[in-house]
Amino acid sequence: MSDDIWQRDEVESPCIKVCIVHPAERICTGCLRTIDEIGAWSRMSNEARTALLEELPSRAARLKVRRGGRKARLG
């Protein structure tokens, strides 16, 4: 009997359980994936998952631009 803990050999989901889709960008504000990417995750290969994970950080800037609020009113 082995003391090793069994682990799945797959790339884990980037989900952080903050599932809110940005209305304009159409990406989840938690994990930065599109709805289609979230739905396809379980069918993606490890290579496809890794490629997507490498792309996600570049999407964060798309959510940081604010057009409203106090700062926009004061110009």
Side-chain angles (χ1 to χ4, degrees):
M1 180 165 223
S2 173
D3 288 336
D4 293 336
I5 296 174
W6 178 81
Q7 294 181 347
R8 295 175 74 153
D9 187 27
E10 62 186 33
V11 177
E12 291 187 30
S13 168
C15 180
I16 60 169
K17 300 191 181 11
V18 177
C19 305
I20 301 169
V21 176
H22 188 278
E25 295 296 330
R26 307 301 301 157
I27 59 177
C28 176
T29 60
C31 67
L32 305 174
R33 294 178 293 170
T34 66
I35 295 296
D36 290 339
E37 291 165 343
I38 292 168
W41 186 262
S42 64
R43 297 181 307 277
M44 294 172 77
S45 67
N46 277 343
E47 293 77 20
R49 289 178 178 187
T50 300
L52 179 57
L53 289 176
E54 290 172 358
E55 180 186 333
L56 294 180
S58 67
R59 297 180 184 182
R62 292 166 48 184
L63 301 180
K64 298 211 185 290
V65 177
R66 293 192 55 164
R67 295 190 178 111
R70 183 174 187 270
K71 187 174 182 180
R73 288 192 306 273
L74 298 176

